[in-house]
Amino acid sequence: MELARGAGPAGALGAPALKRTKDESKSRSRQRWRKAKAKASRLTHSMDLRTMTQSLVTLAEDNMAFFSSQGPGETARRLSGVFEGVREQALGLEPLLGRLLGVAHLFDLDAETPANGYRSLVHTARCCLAHLLHKSRYVAANRRSIFFRTSHNLAELEAYLAALTQLRALAYYAQQLLAANQPGGLFFEGDEGLTADFLREYVTLHKGCFYGRCLGFQFTPAIRPFLQTISIGLVSFGEHYKRNETGLGVTASSLFTSGRFAIDPELRGTEFERIIQNLDVHFWKAFWNITEIEVLSSLANMASATVRVSRLLSLPPKAFEMPLTADPKLMVTISPPLAHTGPGPILVRLISYDLREGQDSEELSSLVKSEGPRSLELRPRPQQAPRSPSLIVHIHGGGFVAQTSKSHEPYLKSWAQELGVPILSIDYSLAPEAPFPRALEECFYAYCWAIKHCAFLGSTGERICLAGDSAGGNLCFTVSLRAAAYGVRVPDGIMAAYPATMLQPTASPSRLLSLMDPLLPLSVLSKCVSAYAGGETEDDSDSNQKALGMMGLVQRDTAALLRDLRLGASSWLNSFLELSRQKFQTNSVPVAEPMRRSVSEAALAQPETPLGTDSLKNLTLHDLSLRGSSKITDTPELSLSGETLGPSTPSDVSFLLRSEDASEEAEVRGEQSTKDKAHGGGIAFPEGFHPRRSSQGATRMPLYSSPISKNPFMSPLLAPDSMLQSLPPVHIVACALDPMLDDSVMFARRLRSLDKLVTLRVVEDLPHGFLSLAALCRETRQAAALCVERIRLILTPPGTAVPASPPI
């Protein structure tokens, strides 16, 4: 009894301890499992492609033989069949990837930057093979266990087999691109009809397998839960959109709450594919603008750095004068934006970590636009900081159709804190209601206003950096090109994160990855570009139109009206020829008065000129590279309309291929052409291979590009050499798995061929748009820190040591 009584308290005290012991044991077990999985992953990724394929084939054959011997059951038959399919696809894919990897180095910027779409496609296929290898090992080790989850493993194997099949199809497409393109070119440059045929074939491929169980398999594991949440939110939003429930209140309460999409990956993948193929740009505009909802934006700001100044300003549409860089005594008039909608105020956001001189001035306060309770984060402070010698002008991304500086405010606040520099972020008008060139006009106007009024912004303006991501990176380049055309100060440097430099629905190796990219599918990219170009905005009358609601229909009708006015953009751009000839005419004194005319006035008054106008419609990147050097070497004499280039002589520099690599690639291309003929001449796939096709019907995607998308102020990659010579130092941060990677690589190669200062840093395993995910994980924080480092490099005066970045 004494023992029993003594055991009572001991047992009571021992129960929590026993529970802690069990918890610790489980924790150690999980840690061991994670370490073993990480070790297996490292070993898998260290394998060469052939060894990995052979290991997978051996395991597949072993598993196939095992399940074939398990009797006539349906599950065993399907498992045997899936391993047979894995074996077949792996053996067919390995030589394709080997050939692509063998020539991939010919398309790199340099030996220190091994990145292009061919490498990315091979890496993605390796990730899929590695996952199948890991799963095959697991099945081989556990298939006899009573705890083996047959249905779960079968579903996962079938999903990754479908993904591997589609990746093999993409490898064949990449092989076709390699054979058809100009030497060293990454973009498909056949005539427009062939391009449309290529895209029409490509978009019929099945995509749903990449948006279910395989979602984000190519990205770093820390990103995948976020992508799953986004995909569930997207399909849930799509359901409410169809039911005409697009009000922000309904969206905020119903988003991410559709449980059936969370528990059924196949259903989620099918619905995701339907949405990206069939819903128009207005849907994506509404979905991407969810981050603008007050609740979500407030939560994001709570987790971001605290700044002293965050003010939304409204710039009045008033003309002002700027001095010419070549002769500061001469002035040029910067007129307010006029394209499509006429003069109107431009919204910009001023962000500063410290309250600096000028930022609380009456002049600036008079421009403040109310945003409600959080519009002003200006707090009293005993002493103002002096003006910064630097200023960052930021242009946000969003596919030209969505988002504002509010969406990008969290990482901009971090920039302001880390760099100690005021930031002015521009809220340009968005397509399709305000297509090209409205955004360019507004960004250029705001950029010039910032330089002229930098004292109000807390800066002396000694160093100016233009920074932007995605569509904003495109606008950074074109604003700089326009500043050079006007003769005003260009920025001291540009930092562009994953920029779009080729706004045409044309294929490239990296754009093939859009088949599986949940953040930037090709059909969505094409719809955004078409909207920005003023092209069609899904005029087909069907049931989806009803989902737009009253405001959506008004927006659509407005876009249709504006589309009728888009031809005015070409006339607007023609005025640059007049400006350029007056500004750079040799042996004459520049006349100030004509330079004061607004762009639209110049376009209306411009007489016809006898200049030759070779059509851009059939020009390729290779053609443009040979047309860049003007006879006047100092400055370009160039017509900037959507259809013409001014007279020029061939350039001695070809940006497409280094001379020492030309013969090597020619041999590869010759061999590839012979193999294509052996497969049936022009047929994308060999006999016996059939990729999976989409069950969602024809994709509603513009297959032909608008002529204006070939304008260098819309697609800076197509600008002649003489224009690109005017750009300041350019620093690009791209993503290896981004469908827009080839835009960055080709643009950097062009600048490098012109002896321009350009750097290209490529981050691994992250998706397009990582700046908006900067707080998500260590990898995104490191990538965001790389952007900050590039900006710091621009803002550091020449001859001064660049300050060390703080540890992450």
Side-chain angles (χ1 to χ4, degrees):
M1 293 297 294
E2 292 297 325
L3 180 62
R5 283 195 296 268
L13 292 172
L18 183 62
K19 184 176 184 302
R20 283 196 300 272
T21 301
K22 289 181 178 179
D23 290 343
E24 291 171 359
S25 177
K26 289 180 181 179
S27 177
R28 285 194 297 269
S29 177
R30 284 194 296 267
Q31 289 175 2
R32 284 195 300 269
W33 180 82
R34 290 194 189 101
K35 288 180 179 178
K37 185 177 180 181
K39 182 179 179 181
S41 178
R42 286 194 299 272
L43 289 173
T44 300
H45 283 85
S46 66
M47 288 183 182
D48 64 83
L49 188 61
R50 178 158 297 180
T51 303
M52 181 185 294
T53 303
Q54 289 174 346
S55 300
L56 178 59
V57 168
T58 300
L59 282 165
E61 290 173 344
D62 177 62
N63 283 316
M64 186 170 55
F66 174 83
F67 289 110
S68 297
S69 66
Q70 297 303 300
E74 175 66 15
T75 302
R77 184 190 64 79
R78 287 174 62 187
L79 280 166
S80 178
V82 76
F83 281 112
E84 182 179 3
V86 168
R87 176 186 180 277
E88 177 187 349
Q89 298 305 330
L91 288 173
L93 182 59
E94 188 267 331
L96 274 173
L97 298 181
R99 286 197 291 271
L100 294 178
L101 198 57
V103 299
H105 66 281
L106 301 175
F107 302 87
D108 296 333
L109 173 64
D110 51 42
E112 289 72 37
T113 317
N116 59 69
Y118 292 114
R119 290 186 184 275
S120 299
L121 185 58
V122 172
H123 174 80
T124 303
R126 276 183 58 95
C127 288
C128 189
L129 288 169
H131 187 92
L132 281 167
L133 180 58
H134 174 75
K135 180 56 65 174
S136 298
R137 284 172 175 162
Y138 174 84
V139 171
N142 297 277
R143 62 198 179 194
R144 299 180 186 276
S145 171
I146 60 173
F147 300 107
F148 181 68
R149 295 191 297 165
T150 306
S151 298
H152 168 79
N153 287 287
L154 174 60
E156 190 163 347
L157 283 165
E158 287 180 334
Y160 275 90
L161 173 59
L164 190 67
T165 303
Q166 301 308 84
L167 283 166
R168 185 179 172 191
L170 294 186
Y172 281 118
Y173 279 126
Q175 187 174 260
Q176 264 200 333
L177 288 173
L178 185 63
N181 285 352
Q182 294 283 349
L186 287 171
F187 288 97
F188 186 79
E189 296 181 18
D191 67 39
E192 192 117 346
L194 290 175
T195 301
D197 290 342
F198 185 96
L199 293 173
R200 190 178 290 111
E201 166 75 12
Y202 169 71
V203 298
T204 64
L205 293 177
H206 168 67
K207 311 164 189 64
C209 61
F210 293 112
Y211 304 131
R213 294 180 189 272
C214 303
L215 181 70
F217 73 93
Q218 69 272 38
F219 299 122
T220 184
I223 292 289
R224 295 172 197 168
F226 166 79
L227 294 178
Q228 184 173 4
T229 303
I230 288 295
S231 67
I232 295 171
L234 177 69
V235 295
S236 303
F237 186 85
E239 278 200 321
H240 294 288
Y241 187 85
K242 286 188 295 182
R243 294 201 295 259
N244 196 25
E245 296 177 354
T246 56
L248 292 184
V250 175
T251 299
S253 62
S254 61
L255 198 58
F256 314 122
T257 58
S258 190
R260 61 197 181 97
F261 292 124
I263 63 177
D264 190 339
E266 282 71 31
L267 177 63
R268 183 173 72 242
T270 300
E271 180 66 7
F272 199 109
E273 182 177 9
R274 183 196 69 80
I275 287 173
I276 65 174
Q277 292 204 175
N278 298 311
L279 293 186
D280 62 14
V281 73
H282 296 283
F283 167 80
W284 295 98
K285 188 187 195 78
F287 181 70
W288 288 338
N289 279 336
I290 286 175
T291 53
E292 305 285 322
I293 298 173
E294 187 65 34
V295 173
L296 295 182
S297 64
S298 297
L299 288 174
N301 276 286
M302 286 172 62
S304 61
T306 301
V307 296
R308 295 287 177 178
V309 180
S310 180
R311 317 181 80 174
L312 187 66
L313 310 177
S314 179
L315 308 184
K318 297 178 180 179
F320 57 88
E321 293 187 339
M322 292 277 290
L324 293 178
T325 304
D327 187 353
K329 295 179 181 178
L330 296 177
M331 307 296 286
V332 60
T333 298
I334 308 299
S335 298
L338 298 173
H340 301 295
T341 56
I346 301 167
L347 299 181
V348 296
R349 183 180 300 276
L350 174 63
I351 298 173
S352 181
Y353 182 69
D354 296 303
L355 174 62
R356 296 184 178 274
E357 292 179 15
Q359 293 177 343
D360 59 351
S361 63
E362 293 183 5
E363 293 88 345
L364 194 68
S365 298
S366 66
L367 302 177
V368 172
K369 180 179 175 63
S370 174
E371 287 184 279
R374 63 173 296 278
S375 63
L376 184 58
E377 295 182 19
L378 181 61
R379 303 168 187 173
R381 194 174 184 184
Q383 188 175 1
Q384 294 180 347
R387 290 185 174 93
S388 168
S390 304
L391 176 68
I392 298 171
V393 179
H394 171 263
I395 307 177
H396 68 80
F400 301 102
V401 302
Q403 300 192 334
T404 67
S405 61
K406 194 174 185 180
S407 310
H408 298 249
E409 193 176 6
Y411 74 78
L412 290 178
K413 287 181 175 180
S414 298
W415 286 8
Q417 180 183 23
E418 294 178 43
L419 294 167
V421 174
I423 300 173
L424 190 75
S425 185
I426 305 170
D427 286 347
Y428 53 89
S429 297
L430 302 171
E433 294 79 14
F436 178 86
R438 183 71 189 196
L440 174 57
E441 281 192 341
E442 293 184 353
C443 290
F444 176 69
Y445 181 88
Y447 165 77
C448 292
W449 185 93
I451 293 176
K452 186 176 180 65
H453 300 92
C454 61
F456 297 157
L457 305 177
S459 172
T460 59
E462 296 169 36
R463 304 288 294 179
I464 304 288
C465 173
L466 258 181
D469 68 306
S470 192
N474 172 287
L475 288 167
C476 285
F477 295 137
T478 55
V479 164
S480 295
L481 291 173
R482 194 175 180 196
Y486 261 77
V488 299
R489 176 182 176 180
V490 298
D492 294 287
I494 299 172
M495 194 292 294
Y498 38 87
T501 63
M502 167 71 99
L503 297 190
Q504 291 185 276
T506 186
S508 81
S510 71
R511 291 192 182 187
L512 294 178
L513 297 176
S514 63
L515 188 79
M516 69 196 76
D517 194 294
L519 300 179
L520 202 63
L522 180 63
S523 59
V524 178
L525 170 65
S526 297
K527 289 169 186 175
C528 292
V529 171
S530 179
Y532 183 52
E536 58 89 17
T537 55
E538 309 291 355
D539 291 326
D540 300 328
S541 299
D542 58 20
S543 59
N544 283 334
Q545 278 191 339
K546 298 176 183 178
L548 290 175
M550 181 60 69
M551 289 305 297
L553 292 173
V554 170
Q555 290 176 341
R556 174 167 291 180
D557 292 341
T558 303
L561 174 63
L562 295 177
R563 198 164 58 248
D564 294 335
L565 303 175
R566 71 181 183 273
L567 292 179
S570 293
S571 297
W572 168 83
L573 290 166
N574 274 328
S575 65
F576 279 113
L577 176 61
E578 183 73 14
L579 293 174
S580 181
R581 282 186 300 153
Q582 290 181 2
K583 174 183 161 190
F584 299 117
Q585 190 171 11
T586 58
N587 300 323
S588 63
V589 178
V591 182
E593 183 57 31
M595 298 292 287
R596 296 171 184 266
R597 296 186 301 171
S598 72
V599 171
S600 297
E601 289 169 345
L604 291 172
Q606 182 177 344
E608 293 188 8
T609 65
L611 289 176
T613 56
D614 296 336
S615 175
L616 267 178
K617 188 170 185 179
N618 297 317
L619 291 181
T620 67
L621 264 127
H622 182 65
D623 298 325
L624 286 165
S625 73
L626 297 177
R627 297 170 59 87
S629 294
S630 173
K631 292 180 181 179
I632 301 175
T633 58
D634 291 339
T635 53
E637 183 174 348
L638 179 70
S639 170
L640 302 182
S641 72
E643 301 169 356
T644 62
L645 284 174
S648 59
T649 57
S651 170
D652 293 330
V653 180
S654 173
F655 75 94
L656 289 168
L657 190 67
R658 298 186 297 272
S659 58
E660 62 269 22
D661 295 334
S663 58
E664 184 178 349
E665 192 189 359
E667 293 176 7
V668 174
R669 288 160 55 83
E671 293 173 7
Q672 188 57 57
S673 177
T674 302
K675 291 174 182 175
D676 287 343
K677 291 177 182 176
H679 285 313
I683 298 176
F685 308 121
E687 185 177 353
F689 173 70
H690 303 287
R692 305 190 182 199
R693 299 293 177 178
S694 174
S695 61
Q696 299 299 322
T699 299
R700 300 177 61 184
M701 186 187 92
L703 297 175
Y704 290 89
S705 60
S706 167
I708 205 168
S709 68
K710 298 171 184 175
N711 189 284
F713 282 90
M714 189 170 178
S715 295
L717 181 58
L718 298 179
D721 293 352
S722 53
M723 288 183 67
L724 296 181
Q725 287 280 12
S726 67
L727 286 177
V730 171
H731 301 279
I732 301 174
V733 180
C735 308
L737 300 179
D738 181 7
M740 308 301 293
L741 170 65
D742 290 338
D743 292 53
S744 296
V745 174
M746 290 299 288
F747 195 68
R749 290 180 67 183
R750 286 211 61 188
L751 295 178
R752 180 69 60 81
S753 72
L754 299 173
D755 294 325
K756 299 294 294 180
L757 177 57
V758 57
T759 66
L760 173 64
R761 296 290 299 273
V762 182
V763 297
E764 303 290 337
D765 302 332
L766 292 180
H768 184 92
F770 66 74
L771 275 175
S772 297
L773 313 176
L776 192 63
C777 61
R778 178 176 57 85
E779 291 85 352
T780 54
R781 287 193 293 272
Q782 289 176 339
L786 182 58
C787 295
V788 172
E789 175 195 317
R790 301 288 93 180
I791 296 174
R792 184 178 281 112
L793 188 63
I794 293 169
L795 298 181
T796 303
T800 306
V802 179
S805 301
I808 300 172

